[in-house]
Amino acid sequence: FPYTTLFRSFPEGFLVADKDGDVIGFLTTVAVSLYEVKILSLAVDRRYQNKGLASMLLQSLFEVVRTKRILTILLEVRLSNVIAQRLYLSLGFNLVKVISSYYQDGEDAYLMEKMLA
């Protein structure tokens, strides 16, 4: 299973939010280099959306990567996913470029990055 290898390379980058033992959100990353991680996925159960859970998961990631002396966090987000873009921008991510036809359905993506001090 491909996530097993990713988990072994950077286990701190797999974050889970649970309530009463049920997973209600998660964030997965992969180490791109010693100083850079990439967010692969961020998801929150619909019943818990708009309650700050995604922001909490991202803030937890920021704490983890700072302890590892990681300098940059990267992610891709659909051009149509304005809600996610607003969240990322509010947390200090910047738009880097548009990646044409990034998704399987042909939609473009923004490459975004957050530089950590």
Side-chain angles (χ1 to χ4, degrees):
F1 190 68
Y3 281 118
T4 303
T5 303
L6 297 175
F7 178 79
R8 286 189 189 132
S9 72
F10 188 56
E12 301 89 345
F14 282 65
L15 303 173
V16 175
D18 72 281
K19 182 176 181 184
D20 302 323
D22 293 326
V23 174
I24 59 172
F26 67 88
L27 182 144
T28 62
T29 67
V30 62
V32 177
S33 72
L34 288 175
Y35 304 105
E36 196 170 67
V37 297
K38 182 176 182 180
I39 295 173
L40 299 177
S41 58
L42 171 60
V44 174
D45 183 304
R46 287 184 191 269
R47 295 170 293 175
Y48 297 94
Q49 290 179 354
N50 301 311
K51 297 183 186 325
L53 192 58
S55 179
M56 182 197 72
L57 286 164
L58 287 162
Q59 295 287 354
S60 295
L61 176 66
F62 301 161
E63 291 175 25
V64 167
V65 297
R66 281 190 185 101
T67 67
K68 298 290 184 185
R69 300 186 194 271
I70 292 168
L71 303 175
T72 307
I73 302 172
L74 301 169
L75 63 84
E76 290 90 11
V77 61
R78 288 180 178 271
L79 263 59
S80 63
N81 194 345
V82 177
I83 293 171
Q85 292 167 32
R86 283 188 194 135
L87 171 65
Y88 299 135
L89 290 168
S90 75
L91 292 173
F93 284 84
N94 296 304
L95 298 174
V96 176
K97 67 178 181 179
V98 174
I99 305 171
S100 297
S101 302
Y102 180 79
Y103 293 98
Q104 194 169 15
D105 63 4
E107 185 173 355
D108 297 344
Y110 283 122
L111 174 64
M112 300 184 79
E113 74 175 357
K114 178 177 175 70
M115 304 297 289
L116 300 167

